[in-house]
Amino acid sequence: MRTGAFRVAALGAILAAAGFAAAAPVPTARIGGADYVSLAAAAPALGMKDSSSLLSTAVTLADSAHRVDFQAESPEIFVDGLRVFLGDPTVLHNGRLYLSRIDFERCLLPMLRPDLIAGPVPQAPRVIVIDPGHGGPDHGTENPRLGLMEKTFTLDTALRLKRLLESEGYRVILTRYTDPATKIELQIRALIANQAGADLFISIHFNSLAPDTRTKGVEIFTFPPQGQRASAEKSGVENEASPVNRFDPWSVVLAQAVHREVRAAMKTDDRGKKLRHLGVLRDLNCPGILVEGGFLSSDSEARRIASPAYRDQLAAALAAGIRDYGRVLDGLRAAPARPQ
């Protein structure tokens, strides 16, 4: 791998450029034309311990609250047991494992230390927009063997979630309440959220890998940070900032809360928290995530999705994640000192 000159910068300076603040200096390296952060040096700044030694290809950072497992040259990490995909693989450089600066700032820090996110903390969510994916002539994914269509289950799950949230005092708006005659464009769905003054946005979907009938599980997506590729992409990095990028750290905090609850409740494979340039999230003026609640291409999981009990369980898990997110924000707002 082509490397540039090694340099040292204060973590505070690194994070200030992305809206973060911290108190300890951390070395960074220029590797392959991009900035990377050494995990060994970053651990103390995060208040964590590093288990690695020189030339370790597997690294664990841990403290009393969190554990993060890394592998060299892999974009996949595990945060408190949750599967998370970075925008860039980790790099073994000069005997130490490094994480891209973007992933450090926009993924790891929000998951481990949301108290280091600079600036005002959003208020706990009061206005929530739920987007039942697809609808009308856009059926979404289908399972023709069982006669199932994604659009039916996204709307049903959204309505169940709406009832749960409204019973707890939230104001809830759907991007569609029925199966419309015409297609609702992705930009319109974001516009509905923006016009409603949404505090958060969740788009509900169900997945397919047809003709693969074996893969199952849940996935959580956030929009990639500026200049970073989607989890499955090799190229095509989008450098233009999108409106939702202003909320990158809070989208990650929301995704983590929802991911934790959905993984625990649904008893299916954890397909991970991933990045994707999704049109439904691009223009949001609030934190937003997209949830894939299972695979219709898997007959066994499709039968579960077709069960009202499964959709009740998924709606309850999403509601629990939203509550958890709100509690994180309330705790941060109550903290006596905040980085600005």
Side-chain angles (χ1 to χ4, degrees), residues 21-51:
V26 171
T28 66
R30 190 76 175 169
I31 306 174
D35 290 337
Y36 280 76
V37 175
S38 161
L39 293 177
L46 296 170
M48 306 182 83
K49 293 183 177 180
D50 170 19
S51 69

Short mmCIF file of all heavy atoms in Angstrom, two decimals, residues 21-51:
data_model
loop_
_atom_site.label_atom_id
_atom_site.label_comp_id
_atom_site.label_asym_id
_atom_site.label_seq_id
_atom_site.Cartn_x
_atom_site.Cartn_y
_atom_site.Cartn_z
N ALA A 21 -15.05 17.09 19.77
CA ALA A 21 -14.00 17.63 20.62
C ALA A 21 -13.54 16.56 21.58
O ALA A 21 -14.28 15.67 21.96
CB ALA A 21 -14.51 18.84 21.40
N ALA A 22 -12.27 16.61 21.97
CA ALA A 22 -11.72 15.68 22.95
C ALA A 22 -10.50 16.32 23.58
O ALA A 22 -10.10 17.41 23.20
CB ALA A 22 -11.36 14.36 22.28
N ALA A 23 -9.90 15.64 24.56
CA ALA A 23 -8.89 16.30 25.36
C ALA A 23 -7.48 15.78 25.20
O ALA A 23 -6.56 16.33 25.76
CB ALA A 23 -9.30 16.19 26.84
N ALA A 24 -7.28 14.67 24.49
CA ALA A 24 -5.96 14.05 24.46
C ALA A 24 -5.40 14.01 23.05
O ALA A 24 -6.14 13.85 22.09
CB ALA A 24 -6.04 12.63 25.02
N PRO A 25 -4.06 14.17 22.89
CA PRO A 25 -3.46 14.09 21.56
C PRO A 25 -3.39 12.66 21.07
O PRO A 25 -3.16 11.74 21.84
CB PRO A 25 -2.07 14.68 21.78
CG PRO A 25 -1.78 14.40 23.22
CD PRO A 25 -3.09 14.46 23.94
N VAL A 26 -3.59 12.47 19.77
CA VAL A 26 -3.54 11.14 19.17
C VAL A 26 -2.75 11.22 17.87
O VAL A 26 -3.02 12.08 17.03
CB VAL A 26 -4.96 10.62 18.87
CG1 VAL A 26 -4.90 9.34 18.05
CG2 VAL A 26 -5.71 10.36 20.16
N PRO A 27 -1.76 10.34 17.66
CA PRO A 27 -1.02 10.34 16.40
C PRO A 27 -1.90 9.91 15.24
O PRO A 27 -2.78 9.07 15.40
CB PRO A 27 0.09 9.31 16.63
CG PRO A 27 0.03 8.92 18.04
CD PRO A 27 -1.30 9.32 18.59
N THR A 28 -1.67 10.49 14.09
CA THR A 28 -2.36 10.07 12.87
C THR A 28 -1.33 9.84 11.79
O THR A 28 -0.21 10.35 11.86
CB THR A 28 -3.38 11.12 12.40
OG1 THR A 28 -2.67 12.29 12.00
CG2 THR A 28 -4.39 11.45 13.50
N ALA A 29 -1.69 9.05 10.80
CA ALA A 29 -0.78 8.76 9.69
C ALA A 29 -1.48 9.01 8.38
O ALA A 29 -2.70 8.81 8.26
CB ALA A 29 -0.29 7.31 9.77
N ARG A 30 -0.70 9.42 7.40
CA ARG A 30 -1.20 9.55 6.03
C ARG A 30 -0.88 8.24 5.32
O ARG A 30 0.29 7.90 5.09
CB ARG A 30 -0.50 10.72 5.34
CG ARG A 30 -1.11 11.09 4.00
CD ARG A 30 -2.39 11.86 4.21
NE ARG A 30 -2.94 12.32 2.93
CZ ARG A 30 -4.14 12.83 2.81
NH1 ARG A 30 -4.92 12.94 3.87
NH2 ARG A 30 -4.57 13.24 1.63
N ILE A 31 -1.91 7.48 4.99
CA ILE A 31 -1.73 6.15 4.39
C ILE A 31 -2.56 6.08 3.12
O ILE A 31 -3.78 6.28 3.17
CB ILE A 31 -2.15 5.04 5.36
CG1 ILE A 31 -1.43 5.17 6.72
CG2 ILE A 31 -1.91 3.67 4.76
CD1 ILE A 31 -1.90 4.18 7.76
N GLY A 32 -1.90 5.81 2.00
CA GLY A 32 -2.63 5.68 0.76
C GLY A 32 -3.41 6.91 0.39
O GLY A 32 -4.49 6.83 -0.21
N GLY A 33 -2.92 8.08 0.78
CA GLY A 33 -3.58 9.33 0.44
C GLY A 33 -4.71 9.73 1.36
O GLY A 33 -5.43 10.70 1.08
N ALA A 34 -4.91 9.02 2.45
CA ALA A 34 -5.99 9.34 3.39
C ALA A 34 -5.45 9.36 4.81
O ALA A 34 -4.40 8.79 5.11
CB ALA A 34 -7.12 8.32 3.27
N ASP A 35 -6.17 10.01 5.71
CA ASP A 35 -5.78 10.11 7.11
C ASP A 35 -6.30 8.92 7.90
O ASP A 35 -7.48 8.54 7.78
CB ASP A 35 -6.33 11.39 7.74
CG ASP A 35 -5.64 12.64 7.21
OD1 ASP A 35 -4.50 12.52 6.72
OD2 ASP A 35 -6.24 13.72 7.29
N TYR A 36 -5.43 8.35 8.73
CA TYR A 36 -5.77 7.21 9.57
C TYR A 36 -5.38 7.49 11.01
O TYR A 36 -4.45 8.25 11.28
CB TYR A 36 -5.08 5.94 9.07
CG TYR A 36 -5.77 5.30 7.89
CD1 TYR A 36 -5.63 5.84 6.62
CD2 TYR A 36 -6.57 4.18 8.05
CE1 TYR A 36 -6.27 5.27 5.53
CE2 TYR A 36 -7.21 3.60 6.98
CZ TYR A 36 -7.06 4.15 5.71
OH TYR A 36 -7.71 3.59 4.64
N VAL A 37 -6.08 6.84 11.93
CA VAL A 37 -5.84 6.98 13.37
C VAL A 37 -5.39 5.63 13.92
O VAL A 37 -6.04 4.61 13.68
CB VAL A 37 -7.12 7.44 14.09
CG1 VAL A 37 -6.93 7.47 15.59
CG2 VAL A 37 -7.56 8.81 13.58
N SER A 38 -4.29 5.62 14.65
CA SER A 38 -3.80 4.41 15.27
C SER A 38 -4.73 4.00 16.41
O SER A 38 -5.04 4.80 17.30
CB SER A 38 -2.39 4.64 15.82
OG SER A 38 -2.05 3.67 16.77
N LEU A 39 -5.16 2.74 16.42
CA LEU A 39 -6.03 2.28 17.50
C LEU A 39 -5.30 2.26 18.83
O LEU A 39 -5.89 2.57 19.88
CB LEU A 39 -6.57 0.88 17.17
CG LEU A 39 -7.52 0.79 15.98
CD1 LEU A 39 -7.92 -0.65 15.74
CD2 LEU A 39 -8.76 1.65 16.22
N ALA A 40 -4.01 1.92 18.81
CA ALA A 40 -3.24 1.90 20.05
C ALA A 40 -3.18 3.28 20.69
O ALA A 40 -3.24 3.43 21.91
CB ALA A 40 -1.83 1.38 19.78
N ALA A 41 -3.05 4.31 19.85
CA ALA A 41 -2.97 5.67 20.38
C ALA A 41 -4.34 6.26 20.68
O ALA A 41 -4.50 7.10 21.57
CB ALA A 41 -2.23 6.56 19.38
N ALA A 42 -5.36 5.81 19.94
CA ALA A 42 -6.71 6.34 20.16
C ALA A 42 -7.36 5.80 21.42
O ALA A 42 -8.20 6.48 22.03
CB ALA A 42 -7.59 6.00 18.95
N ALA A 43 -6.97 4.59 21.82
CA ALA A 43 -7.62 3.96 22.97
C ALA A 43 -7.61 4.83 24.22
O ALA A 43 -8.66 5.01 24.87
CB ALA A 43 -6.98 2.61 23.25
N PRO A 44 -6.46 5.42 24.63
CA PRO A 44 -6.48 6.25 25.85
C PRO A 44 -7.40 7.47 25.73
O PRO A 44 -8.03 7.87 26.71
CB PRO A 44 -5.02 6.67 26.02
CG PRO A 44 -4.23 5.67 25.24
CD PRO A 44 -5.10 5.27 24.10
N ALA A 45 -7.47 8.04 24.53
CA ALA A 45 -8.35 9.20 24.34
C ALA A 45 -9.82 8.83 24.50
O ALA A 45 -10.64 9.67 24.87
CB ALA A 45 -8.11 9.80 22.96
N LEU A 46 -10.13 7.56 24.23
CA LEU A 46 -11.50 7.08 24.40
C LEU A 46 -11.74 6.52 25.79
O LEU A 46 -12.85 6.08 26.10
CB LEU A 46 -11.80 5.99 23.36
CG LEU A 46 -11.78 6.43 21.90
CD1 LEU A 46 -11.84 5.20 20.99
CD2 LEU A 46 -12.93 7.36 21.60
N GLY A 47 -10.69 6.53 26.63
CA GLY A 47 -10.82 5.95 27.95
C GLY A 47 -10.87 4.44 27.93
O GLY A 47 -11.43 3.81 28.84
N MET A 48 -10.24 3.83 26.90
CA MET A 48 -10.30 2.38 26.73
C MET A 48 -8.90 1.79 26.78
O MET A 48 -7.90 2.51 26.67
CB MET A 48 -10.98 2.03 25.41
CG MET A 48 -12.35 2.68 25.24
SD MET A 48 -13.20 2.21 23.70
CE MET A 48 -13.92 0.63 24.20
N LYS A 49 -8.83 0.49 26.94
CA LYS A 49 -7.56 -0.23 26.91
C LYS A 49 -7.43 -1.00 25.61
O LYS A 49 -8.41 -1.51 25.08
CB LYS A 49 -7.44 -1.18 28.11
CG LYS A 49 -7.36 -0.45 29.44
CD LYS A 49 -7.17 -1.44 30.59
CE LYS A 49 -7.01 -0.70 31.92
NZ LYS A 49 -6.82 -1.65 33.06
N ASP A 50 -6.19 -1.09 25.12
CA ASP A 50 -5.89 -1.76 23.86
C ASP A 50 -5.17 -3.07 24.17
O ASP A 50 -4.14 -3.09 24.84
CB ASP A 50 -5.02 -0.83 23.02
CG ASP A 50 -4.45 -1.49 21.78
OD1 ASP A 50 -4.99 -2.54 21.37
OD2 ASP A 50 -3.47 -0.96 21.24
N SER A 51 -5.72 -4.18 23.65
CA SER A 51 -5.16 -5.50 23.94
C SER A 51 -4.02 -5.88 23.01
O SER A 51 -3.39 -6.91 23.22
CB SER A 51 -6.26 -6.56 23.80
OG SER A 51 -6.64 -6.69 22.43
#
